[in-house]
Structures are given as structure tokens and as C-alpha cells.
Amino acid sequence: MRKRVADVWYSARYLLVGAVTGFVSLFLLPVMVVLLLVARPSALRWLHDWAHRERLRVAGFTGAPIPEPAPPERLWDARRELAWLAVHGLTGSVVGILGVALPASAINAVLVPAYWWAVPEDDPVTSPYPVTSWLGAAFMPLVALGYALLSLWFTPWLGRLQSRWSRALLSPPAGARLALRVAELTASRAAALEAHGAELRRIERDLHDGTQNKLVAVAMHLGIVERALRRDPAVALPMVLKAQDAVSDALSGLRGVVRSIYPPVLAERGLDGAVAGLIASCGVPCGLSVENLRRAPAAVESAAYFVVAEALTNIAKHSGATRGEVHLSAPGDLLLEIRDNGHGGADEEAGTGRTGIRRRVTAFDGTMTLDSPAGGPTTLRVTLPLGS
């Protein structure tokens, strides 16, 4: 039920913005037709920018980005964006208002008993019947329940419907999609090589600066023990114990490096158990929800584990949040959603953490979207393909 209510909230917010952009698109439609006749290059650029905003909005709602076509140079190149402008202008506002009306009516019906008596008698509250008495007001919570039950199904459905036709109209044609796909695969291969190189450099640095130094210390202690045994065997025991401690420290560092390559907890407890361990050690209280999760290839689970680990680190260090939420599901691909109620304003360009997450995700041909408006909340959505 909590997930359904969250779906209604996200869908209503998406549809409300869609109602506004629908009004704007309806106004822009005749303006764009005139501009295409007198200032075609500028009009095509403005149309492309407006459609780009809708692609980002749909990607933020669905968690799956829409491929971005090249800016149109001819009117024929912009035919799909023009079709979207017409459809969205004529239907976006209506669909948006319908989607928001049901949950808004449910809230209003709950509040009617508190204010119906203050409304003039010749213009009573009508939702859905005129409320002119306390008896009529007493039944309004039942009306609110009916509106709420309808909105649980209808509002998310309208949100999905609007996002689907926007995606269908704003996606590039098949030939362009193939070229974009080739470019994406080239970029993901480069990201995989970059991520692999960065991982090798990190492992080498950890071994060189950590484990190697500790083993050198062990060798030095053993050399001191050898000289002590030759001079005075009685004083060698404390040195042996110190060397033993140094060996234990080196082994602990080596185990840490191994865990950073592939955490053993993934093999023992699965991704949900491993993420539960990360949440338990996070400085911000976090909840975990799991839905239809199944075992994934080891490399994918490892990437997902480190994505969640980096996201929780960012929440603890930078978000100012008092609460976080991690959601794992695999309806098809592996979906990770990490939310927090912090101050928002997260900028991918401001640090290496989110760039590292995107590089790791891109290496698996996955997708990442970050929704972090100023004032919060922040939602990170990551999709990793599982294959067949």
C-alpha cells in the first residue's frame, strides 16, 4: 500500500507538471508554425530544446532515458518533435488535470466536514453532492475513500500513458536509434575500459600503500627478532609477539583489498543481505525494501553493491538527511532506487563519487538518473541489465 501511495504521489506530480507543459505546448503550437515559416533554424532549435526538457522529464519519471537525436537541420528531421508538440498541447493539460483531480478530490472530501458550514447556503459545497447538513458531511469520508481507491489505479495509469506516448513520439526513428546505439556501445566500452583501469589502479595503490608497507614492517620485525635471538634469546619473545601482530595487521589489510574486489558477503547472503549490512553501518537511518529480487551474475551484483555503498556514503557525508530508503527490485532488469530526505541540490559534476557510479553503471550498459531538486528530496535510480 505504501508503494501504491508513493506511485500516486509521483504520478500526480508528473501529471501536474505535464498539465503546465501541455498549456505551454498548446500556446507554442501556432507560434511554432509561424516561426517555422519566418525563422526556421531558430524555431527548430527552440523546438528541439523544448522537446529535450520533456525527454528529461519522462526519463526522471520512468527511470529510463530517451535517446537524444541530433538537433534537426530540416523540417523533416523535426517531424516527430512537431507531432509530440501537437499531441501534448492538445491532450497534456486534460490528462494532467484528470490525473491530479482524483487525489485532490479525496483530500477535499476529507476536509469538507471542517468547512462546509462556512460556505454560503446558496452556493453549498458539491463534492459530489451538495453538502447542506452535518449528516451529509458525515458521509464525506466515505466519498474520500472512494476517490482515493480510484486514484490508486487511475492516476498512475494516466502517468504511464502520458510517458509512453511521449517516449514513442520523442524517440528517434529506427535508423537514427541504430546509430545512437552504436555510439552508446562505443561509449560503454570506453567506460568499461576506464572503470577497469581505475579499479586496477586502486587495487595497485591499496596493495602498494597498505599491504606492502605492512609486509615490509613484518620483515623488519623478523630481522630484529633474528638479531635478538643471536644476542639475547630471552628478550626475543616480545619482538616475536610484535611481529605476529604485524602479520595479523597485514592479513587484515589484504582481506580488505579482497573485499573491495568482490565482497564475500554477496556470495554468502546475496545482494539484499549485503545491502542490509551496508545500511546497518550507515550513519543515517535507512530502510530497505525488496521486490521480486533474484540472483544476478556476480559482476552485476558486485556493481550494484558498490553503487549502493557509494550512494549511502554520499547520503551520510553530504545530504544532511535524517532518513534514507533503498529499494531493490528485478521486474526485468535490476533496479536500484536510493532516496533521502536531505537538502537536495546534488550535482554530478561537483565530485567524483557520482561520476564513478555512472562510469560503473555505463560499463554494464545500464542507466542512471539523479533527481535532486534544491530543497530535496534526492532520488538516485540505477538500472543494470541482467541478460536472459
Side-chain angles (χ1 to χ4, degrees), residues 4-19:
R4 285 182 175 271
V5 172
D7 287 343
V8 172
W9 166 249
Y10 287 121
S11 299
R13 188 174 65 175
Y14 172 77
L15 290 169
L16 182 60
V17 176

Side-chain angles (χ1 to χ4, degrees), residues 23 38 93 123 131 155 173 194 210 236 263 271 275 292 298 300 312 326 332 346 348-349:
F23 277 120
V38 298
S93 299
D123 188 19
V131 179
T155 299
E194 177 68 21
L271 181 59
V275 170
N292 298 328
V300 175
L312 292 179
V326 178
E348 187 175 340
E349 304 299 327

Side-chain angles (χ1 to χ4, degrees), residues 7 17 97 121 193 205 210 269 283 329 387:
D7 287 343
V17 176
I97 292 172
E121 293 184 3
L193 292 174
R205 185 174 60 251
R269 300 172 57 189
S329 62

